[in-house]
Amino acid sequence: MFEYERLKKILEERGLTAYKVSKDTGIAQTSFSDWKKGKSKPSVEKIKILSDYLGVSLEYLLGGNEETGLDNNLKPISGFNSAEDAVKFILEQPMVAQFGGYDLEKMTDEEIIEFANDVAGMIELLGKKYKK
């Protein structure tokens, strides 16, 4: 979920105003106001623009760990044995939810577990690839 408080904190730390960010990124100032008030949520595209502009990770703006950008609540990836755990994991991944293209209602428990393990494996591989 988008963390407006983190965006606000970064803007304050860097002495940026919503007007300046709006001017530089093309994101309407009214959007910032709506996000702050909870009237709307930014699209993934807008969050990506903000993360690039501010030099922070998407994960940070989506509520991941403040220092690493990783979600503190994620369990180590060791594979899923139950469809319930697999569904919970899939639904907790913002990027997976945004891209969609799957229908958990039509998938068997085995397909759900395999899908969750594939997603977890890709995340793990990417983490290793970009580890600093």
Side-chain angles (χ1 to χ4, degrees), residues 11-29:
L11 296 180
E12 287 173 7
E13 287 174 356
R14 299 184 183 176
L16 296 169
T17 63
Y19 172 78
K20 169 88 169 117
V21 176
S22 175
K23 184 177 171 189
D24 291 347
T25 64
I27 298 173
Q29 275 186 273

Side-chain angles (χ1 to χ4, degrees), residues 23-131:
K23 184 177 171 189
D24 291 347
T25 64
I27 298 173
Q29 275 186 273
T30 53
S31 294
F32 286 97
S33 178
D34 288 347
W35 300 339
K36 182 179 181 179
K37 295 174 185 172
K39 288 184 177 180
S40 69
K41 297 175 185 174
S43 66
V44 172
E45 179 184 334
K46 299 275 194 254
I47 298 171
K48 175 73 172 128
I49 291 168
L50 287 171
S51 73
D52 289 344
Y53 178 78
L54 298 168
V56 298
S57 70
L58 283 169
E59 291 83 1
Y60 177 81
L61 291 175
L62 290 171
N65 181 288
E66 213 168 309
E67 294 182 17
T68 65
L70 299 175
D71 187 340
N72 285 330
N73 298 317
L74 287 180
K75 297 179 257 182
I77 298 169
S78 59
F80 298 94
N81 296 315
S82 78
E84 184 178 304
D85 287 344
V87 168
K88 183 177 180 205
F89 172 78
I90 291 166
L91 296 176
E92 288 175 347
Q93 305 309 310
M95 293 303 289
V96 174
Q98 289 292 327
F99 284 109
Y102 57 89
D103 187 348
L104 296 174
E105 297 294 321
K106 294 181 180 177
M107 295 169 73
T108 66
D109 286 355
E110 292 79 21
E111 289 171 328
I112 291 170
I113 291 168
E114 182 180 2
F115 180 61
N117 283 324
D118 286 347
V119 169
M122 284 187 263
I123 293 169
E124 188 173 35
L125 284 173
L126 288 170
K128 289 177 184 176
K129 180 178 178 181
Y130 295 102
K131 189 175 184 178

